[in-house]
Amino acid sequence: MDLSVPLTIQDVNFDTDSQGRLDGQIVYKRIIGAHDAPEPGRPPSALSTLAPFTLVNGVVRPHLDVAARAYRFRMVNTSDTRVYRLAVVDEETGEAVPGVMKLIGADMGPLGTSQTIEEAVSLSPAERADIVIDFAAFPGKRLKLVNTVAGQRPGTAPAGRPDLAAGRTTKPLTLGAAIPVAPEESGWKDTITVTANSLVTVAGRLADQTGKVMYHCHILSHEDEGMMSPFVIMPSAVHAIHAMSMGMNTAMAMGTGMQHGKDEHSGMTM
């Protein structure tokens, strides 16, 4: 009996045949923003899309027969854009089952201490979660893992929610109130959820690695549009030389500026 189950979760769209029936072929829709005029030699900008079907391990609406014991589920969100908020629901009552999920690991491995998920676990694209559910407490029950919306009953779709995510910065961002760190954000992470109008401070530990490293948005449509930036990790000795060089350049710039200020009438430093 395999008690460790990987769950690859992804929203997709399916193509249709000549009769308008779904044919099982995955189709990726690139939504072009009407306000973006394409530049010569570059593809036009695309908006992030949300697809209507959810695949789990390549299957729509899968099920798993389990024994009355604990199972480990290793989850990963492989969607383009969609952020999942996953909760366990009693199929008979439709109500969420609080506290049934125990988080034992995140992106970079096991946690030192397990965390109880009181309501739901959120997964952004590329985020991973290592979850344990003990089915011994639910003999004869049928449970579902469903995507939910905060503040709404599981299975209730938010009114007027479009199947399209789009946005651009046209004015300075106004930051909201501080957000508490969720249990699934515990441990060592390489993928971090940054919600709209929010600022995240990241603390990292660099060992002996040096060289060029890239950080980027893991919404694939954003990444493809170039939402990324490099940074360089330098050895300690190079850091010392760099700091010394920067100090010398600053001192020279300040000295030149002072000299220029003193001899403004001549336009020349002798």
Side-chain angles (χ1 to χ4, degrees):
M1 181 185 300
D2 191 354
L3 302 178
S4 181
V5 183
L7 297 180
T8 300
I9 308 171
Q10 178 185 23
D11 66 335
V12 300
N13 215 328
F14 291 114
D15 206 350
T16 56
D17 60 19
S18 59
Q19 304 298 317
R21 298 170 300 190
L22 297 175
D23 63 8
Q25 297 295 314
I26 294 177
V27 59
Y28 182 79
K29 294 184 177 181
R30 184 178 174 91
I31 309 299
I32 306 301
H35 52 268
D36 290 327
E39 299 178 16
R42 288 193 59 187
S45 298
L47 306 178
S48 302
T49 57
L50 302 175
F53 300 96
T54 298
L55 292 183
V56 180
N57 295 348
V59 179
V60 177
R61 295 180 181 174
H63 74 277
L64 177 68
D65 294 324
V66 298
R69 60 183 303 172
Y71 282 72
R72 174 186 181 185
F73 296 95
R74 293 174 287 126
M75 305 178 185
V76 57
N77 181 0
T78 59
S79 301
D80 178 302
T81 301
R82 187 178 296 279
V83 177
Y84 287 98
R85 185 178 182 275
L86 302 172
V88 175
V89 172
D90 186 320
E91 190 175 75
E92 182 179 356
T93 65
E95 297 294 334
V97 183
V100 66
M101 291 188 285
K102 306 293 183 183
L103 181 74
I104 64 169
D107 296 343
M108 304 299 287
L111 302 180
T113 304
S114 65
Q115 303 272 348
T116 298
I117 305 297
E118 296 296 344
E119 186 177 354
V121 59
S122 295
L123 287 180
S124 296
E127 267 195 301
R128 286 89 75 199
D130 214 342
I131 299 288
V132 170
I133 300 176
D134 190 352
F135 295 100
F138 307 96
K141 292 281 188 179
R142 293 175 63 90
L143 304 179
K144 295 192 299 184
L145 183 68
V146 300
N147 192 26
T148 64
V149 178
Q152 298 193 27
R153 191 172 187 272
T156 302
R161 181 173 180 176
D163 193 32
L164 178 69
R168 59 174 54 241
T169 299
T170 57
K171 58 183 180 179
L173 297 178
T174 301
L175 300 180
I179 302 173
V181 177
E184 58 267 29
E185 299 290 350
S186 303
W188 290 103
K189 301 279 293 177
D190 61 11
T191 306
I192 300 167
T193 299
V194 183
T195 58
N197 296 339
S198 66
L199 179 69
V200 175
T201 301
V202 178
R205 183 176 66 186
L206 303 176
D208 298 325
Q209 304 94 332
T210 59
K212 294 182 179 180
V213 182
M214 180 184 70
Y215 64 97
H216 61 90
C217 179
H218 232 298
I219 294 176
L220 297 181
S221 298
H222 294 177
E223 182 182 0
D224 286 346
E225 295 294 334
M227 194 173 179
M228 60 183 72
S229 184
F231 65 94
V232 180
I233 305 172
M234 297 183 292
S236 299
V238 177
H239 265 295
I241 296 174
H242 178 71
M244 181 175 63
S245 175
M246 291 294 292
M248 293 174 60
N249 290 340
T250 301
M252 291 176 62
M254 291 180 64
T256 301
M258 292 174 61
Q259 194 71 22
H260 274 248
K262 184 187 300 183
D263 299 326
E264 281 181 341
H265 61 281
S266 66
M268 181 182 299
T269 300
M270 300 300 292

